[in-house]
Every structure is written in structure tokens, then in C-alpha cells.
Amino acid sequence: MKKYISLFVILLFSSAGLYAQSIYDLRNAIDFYEMNKISKGEYRNSISERDIEGSPYLNDEFTPGTIYTYQKIQYNDIPLRYNIFNDEMEFQTPDEQILAIAAPEIVEKAVVGENTFSNIPYELGNKVKRAYFILLFEGKLSLYARPEVIYKKPKEAAAYAEPEPAKFIKRPDIYYLRLNQQTAVRIESKKDLENFFTNHQSQMESFIKKNKIKPSKEDKMIELVEYYNSL
């Protein structure tokens, strides 16, 4: 169980003039904690991590990071970690409480160590949702990685099988392409690539074939995005 808080108060700082700014209003960690003080916590049911093998986190340890909001506020030196399973950015307070940002829609990006997490819209079937993605390459066409962790339920002992504890299992990253400010599109096959590129289609198809681009290979996907942005 984790205590969740809302960052809705930050919205009070937004205004037409603030949105027009090209730079961020710099704030420190103390300001961030003060903005998120609450008198009563909110709780949500979730899977307890106790006695579960593996980890739901990209990195178990908290790393000093920076949060950028769409209201052009920048909070520095926040201990952050990304919970892959819950798709949540967690932070640790000075009194070692572990909290999660409950209004990620106001977060433009979070820089944690060497990773930049962008909170962007993406296609899921016929719906559009938002989630955190790791930015791999930014340009007219951008490339993102979506880490994935699945939860495997525990198994009781059977006649010829030992019991198995519950587990968090890390899956290969899934790659997404985003053209300009449109929704990000999941790319898992060559067919997905062919369907994605409606501009420069013949050039892209030729490049994909010649360079043996595979959607599961990060380095190849970066090559592809760099080429498209050069056209």
C-alpha cells in the first residue's frame, strides 16, 4: 500500500501568461514538498510488494531528479524512481515517506539519472491514453521505449510441483514512434512500420529493407528515426 497525493494545487499557478513562457520557473525540492503537503492521505488498493520476487521498478533506489510541469515549473533535486508495473513516478520525502504523483497529466517530463521520462498520449486500440515513456531520440519523429513488468501469481504446491512465490517479471521494452505532437504509436512488427510511414513511404521501405531494421532492436530503431529526420 502506498499513500497517494494529488498535485492539483500546482494548477493554481497556471495562467495564460505562464503558458506563454519559454523558460521554466525554477523551484527546489522544499517547494515541491510544500506544494504537496496534505492533512489526510488517500489510499488505493494495489499489489503489495512484500514477499514477491523480482522488482516492479526500473531502479529500486531513489535517484535525485527533476520534474517539469506543463505549467512551466521545474522542481529540482527530487528523489525519484519509476514504478513500471503501476506506471507511476514515485518520490521520497525527507521523512522517508514513499509517495506517487497522482496527477501525472500535469507532468511534462521527469529526468531521473540518465533517463528522461515523457508523459505523452499514445494509441491503445481505438482509445488514446497517457503514460510515461523513456525518451530515446527527440526530433520531428521521436522514439520512445515503454518498459514492461508483468505480475505472476503464486502457485500452490501440487502433486509433482513445488510451490512458487509471486513474481514480478521484466519483459523486453516496447518501442513507440511519435510524429510531431501526435499520439505515440506502438511498433512491434515490420507491418507496423510500413503502416506508420505515410510520408516518404518508398524511401522508408527501402531503408528498412536495406538496413534490416527490426522493431525489437533499439539501435536499429534509432537509425531509422535519424534517417527519417534527415529527409
Side-chain angles (χ1 to χ4, degrees):
M1 283 286 196
K2 293 186 178 65
K3 185 184 294 183
Y4 287 76
I5 63 171
S6 173
L7 298 181
F8 72 93
V9 183
I10 295 178
L11 295 174
L12 297 176
F13 285 81
S14 64
S15 66
L18 189 58
Y19 276 108
Q21 292 180 3
S22 59
I23 59 174
Y24 289 87
D25 177 12
L26 301 182
R27 310 284 179 89
N28 59 29
I30 299 301
D31 292 323
F32 179 81
Y33 302 135
E34 288 295 321
M35 286 289 294
N36 292 284
K37 272 188 175 179
I38 55 173
S39 58
K40 184 177 181 181
E42 295 181 4
Y43 291 84
R44 189 184 73 178
N45 291 329
S46 63
I47 297 173
S48 172
E49 295 161 25
R50 185 177 300 174
D51 300 325
I52 301 178
E53 289 188 358
S55 172
Y57 302 104
L58 187 67
N59 187 330
D60 289 347
E61 302 300 321
F62 284 92
T63 301
T66 304
I67 293 173
Y68 300 81
T69 75
Y70 282 107
Q71 288 72 45
K72 296 302 178 185
I73 299 174
Q74 175 182 333
Y75 293 99
N76 296 323
D77 300 320
I78 312 296
L80 299 170
R81 70 178 179 188
Y82 177 55
N83 187 317
I84 302 172
F85 183 75
N86 289 333
D87 185 38
E88 292 170 339
M89 193 62 63
E90 299 179 356
F91 63 94
Q92 190 173 43
T93 65
D95 59 357
E96 298 187 345
Q97 290 186 75
I98 297 175
L99 307 173
I101 298 174
E105 64 274 7
I106 70 170
V107 178
E108 179 182 356
K109 61 183 178 180
V111 178
V112 187
E114 297 180 353
N115 292 317
T116 296
F117 294 86
S118 298
N119 181 25
I120 60 173
Y122 70 101
E123 294 180 9
L124 183 62
N126 296 323
K127 297 181 179 180
V128 175
K129 294 184 175 290
R130 298 188 74 91
Y132 289 106
F133 292 80
I134 299 176
L135 176 64
L136 299 178
F137 191 96
E138 187 172 29
K140 178 174 62 176
L141 177 65
S142 298
L143 176 65
Y144 298 88
R146 183 92 192 272
E148 185 177 5
V149 164
I150 62 172
Y151 172 71
K152 186 177 179 180
K153 295 181 179 180
K155 288 185 178 181
E156 296 182 0
Y160 299 99
E162 294 292 325
E164 293 184 13
K167 298 177 182 178
F168 284 118
I169 301 174
K170 180 74 168 65
R171 304 272 294 180
D173 291 350
I174 300 170
Y175 298 101
Y176 283 72
L177 292 175
R178 189 187 191 197
L179 185 60
N180 298 317
Q181 297 302 306
Q182 299 175 22
T183 54
V185 177
R186 181 172 178 148
I187 304 296
E188 289 190 282
S189 66
K190 288 186 178 180
K191 185 176 181 181
D192 290 338
L193 286 175
E194 293 171 1
N195 292 337
F196 181 86
F197 293 108
T198 55
N199 294 329
H200 309 296
Q201 191 171 21
S202 61
Q203 291 164 286
M204 296 307 297
E205 287 179 358
S206 176
F207 184 87
I208 290 168
K209 184 177 180 180
K210 180 181 178 181
N211 294 276
K212 300 179 180 179
I213 302 298
K214 294 183 178 180
S216 60
K217 301 294 183 182
E218 182 177 314
D219 57 343
K220 288 295 184 180
M221 289 295 288
I222 291 175
E223 281 183 34
L224 181 72
V225 172
E226 288 178 331
Y227 175 70
Y228 182 91
N229 285 325
S230 71
L231 297 177

